[in-house]
Amino acid sequence: MKQYATYAIGAALVDTEIQVNDAELTAMSVEKGVMTLVEESRQAELLDHLTGHLVRANHASGGSAGNSMIATALFGAPTFMSCKVANDADGDIYLADLEASGVAHSLHDKRGGGTTGKCLVLITPDAERSMNTYLGVSETLSVAEVDDRAIAASEWVYLEGYLVTSPTGHAAALHTRQVAEANGVRTAISFSDPGMVMYFRDNMEEMVGNGVDLVFCNEAEALEWGKTDDLEAAMSAIRQVASSFVITLGARGAIAFDGSKTFEVDAHKVDAVNTNGAGDMFAGAFLYALSRGEDYGRAAEFAVRAAGEVVKFFGPRLRPEEYRTLRREFFGD
Ligand SMILES: Nc1ncnc2c1ncn2[C@@H]1O[C@H](COP(=O)(O)OP(=O)(O)O)[C@@H](O)[C@H]1O
Ligand SMILES: [Mg+2]
């Protein structure tokens, strides 16, 4: 067993979640269900527009890969997160959350000026999340933040697809994959968002390279990758670049393919109020289950159970003790 179950690289963001209705989304010209990169001034303008009819605001560290690494670590398998935060209050929040969760990082002496990235997450009554992200210093995440030693000491690396938008972040992801391959570390990538596949296709293909061991994506990203509206065709396209994959299907559950067998898993039946962080929790729980030697079927069962829990509440993650409860209920230890 290596030191870390998973080494991840991705944007460090602090989330503000606000409940809105669909008319407000339209009035603010926010594209529903996806991540849109915005300037800090646009975030401020949106927040301004929402004061007064703000129903519920929630401030917590987020960031896709970070959420997943926190989940894996809190379930009980050590992880390492490679990211970039500034010397500001949001940077403090982000780092405190990593440390409280037991996620290793190398940020101690590396915090500079600028602004930590932040994500304004608008939640509609159907539990869908629409993200408006200002990357801040995460835009300049680079190979300088990559820790080759920690990669070699990991079972898996996990590349966040959102890195396609930043030239230096993209280069850092390529470097991470190469170091992993040179050290026999298995490679996983998340496609992150349909827009990342659509608008940054060349960069995403470069991140996938000659193929990865595992692709994580949701249904919209899978269809976008296959340039199709047929899920079977999308799965064939993903198989061209990945020896295994998991496609999450929202309230319909997930499909996992381990290289020879396909597992279809129903979602956990819950009243979803906020799906922010669902895919992140799914990936973190799935990687945790793999680290215990579970097969893809059982890993997917655990992941839908965990993701089903996170969508019941506001906030992108659960409270620390809830991860232990989920593990105990599912694995009995
Ligand atoms: N409404 C829901 N009810 C129950 N589980 C859900 C619901 N929405 C999402 N999930 C769980 O979260 C997982 C990921 O959700 P999905 O929306 O597919 O990913 P993403 O967050 O990447 O868009 C699903 O596979 C499922 O297990
Ligand atoms: Mg979704």
Side-chain angles (χ1 to χ4, degrees):
M1 191 64 191
K2 291 188 176 171
Q3 186 177 4
Y4 303 113
T6 308
Y7 174 105
I9 179 163
L13 305 175
V14 171
D15 284 0
T16 299
E17 289 181 349
I18 299 183
Q19 273 179 302
V20 300
N21 58 41
D22 285 87
E24 286 166 335
L25 272 194
T26 311
M28 295 183 295
S29 306
V30 171
E31 195 181 341
K32 188 170 177 176
V34 298
M35 192 285 294
T36 305
L37 287 181
V38 298
E39 292 299 324
E40 200 172 11
S41 56
R42 163 75 172 160
Q43 270 188 345
E45 178 192 306
L46 288 171
L47 276 169
D48 232 38
H49 189 87
L50 288 164
T51 30
H53 45 232
L54 174 161
V55 183
R56 188 197 299 251
N58 191 316
H59 202 61
S61 81
S64 182
N67 283 337
S68 299
M69 291 308 99
I70 286 175
T72 306
L74 286 172
F75 285 128
T79 57
F80 189 104
M81 182 68 201
S82 187
C83 58
K84 193 164 180 178
V85 297
N87 221 332
D88 56 8
D90 280 342
D92 292 342
I93 291 177
Y94 190 88
L95 272 191
D97 275 351
L98 282 189
E99 286 174 5
S101 312
V103 177
H105 61 83
S106 49
L107 288 165
H108 308 285
D109 49 357
K110 286 214 185 101
R111 294 172 67 185
T115 309
T116 298
K118 46 194 171 183
C119 184
L120 178 57
V121 190
L122 304 178
I123 316 292
T124 32
D126 57 0
E128 185 58 274
R129 80 289 183 275
S130 306
M131 296 176 280
N132 301 269
T133 304
Y134 169 65
L135 284 176
V137 295
S138 282
E139 182 149 22
T140 60
L141 176 67
S142 72
V143 287
E145 281 77 44
V146 177
D147 187 325
D148 293 8
R149 185 207 59 81
I151 294 171
S154 301
E155 300 281 349
W156 284 90
V157 295
Y158 179 81
L159 310 175
E160 183 182 282
Y162 285 124
L163 293 175
V164 293
T165 71
S166 147
T168 55
H170 177 237
L174 298 183
H175 176 82
T176 300
R177 197 196 71 229
Q178 283 151 9
V179 174
E181 287 171 351
N183 287 279
V185 176
R186 282 174 292 174
T187 52
I189 184 172
S190 163
F191 286 162
S192 294
D193 187 271
M196 300 298 106
V197 180
M198 191 187 318
Y199 302 120
F200 298 91
R201 185 160 196 114
D202 291 351
N203 281 0
M204 195 68 87
E205 284 178 353
E206 222 185 323
M207 258 166 82
V208 162
N210 294 324
V212 291
D213 293 301
L214 172 55
V215 161
F216 285 99
C217 60
N218 69 16
E219 187 170 23
E221 294 147 18
L223 296 176
E224 191 57 49
W225 179 264
K227 296 182 187 147
T228 173
D229 50 20
D230 174 52
L231 196 57
E232 288 292 335
M235 290 194 271
S236 306
I238 295 169
R239 272 201 298 273
Q240 305 298 308
V241 295
S243 37
S244 71
F245 64 77
V246 186
I247 303 176
T248 59
L249 306 170
R252 294 185 350 268
I255 299 177
F257 174 70
D258 68 3
S260 51
K261 263 191 301 197
T262 303
F263 303 86
E264 290 180 26
V265 179
D266 285 337
H268 194 55
K269 293 274 171 294
V270 295
D271 278 326
V273 300
N274 171 15
T275 58
N276 182 30
D280 304 338
M281 174 61 103
F282 186 101
F286 191 88
L287 289 166
Y288 168 71
L290 292 190
S291 80
R292 294 177 60 112
E294 302 292 346
D295 71 14
Y296 274 42
R298 197 149 153 80
E301 291 282 357
F302 181 57
V304 293
R305 180 69 189 80
E309 202 59 27
V310 88
V311 303
K312 281 170 31 186
F313 307 100
F314 277 77
R317 298 196 306 270
L318 302 173
R319 292 195 307 275
E321 62 276 14
E322 295 175 306
Y323 295 80
R324 289 190 287 275
T325 304
L326 277 169
R327 180 180 91 183
R328 199 163 45 242
E329 284 174 3
F330 193 86
F331 293 109
D333 60 18

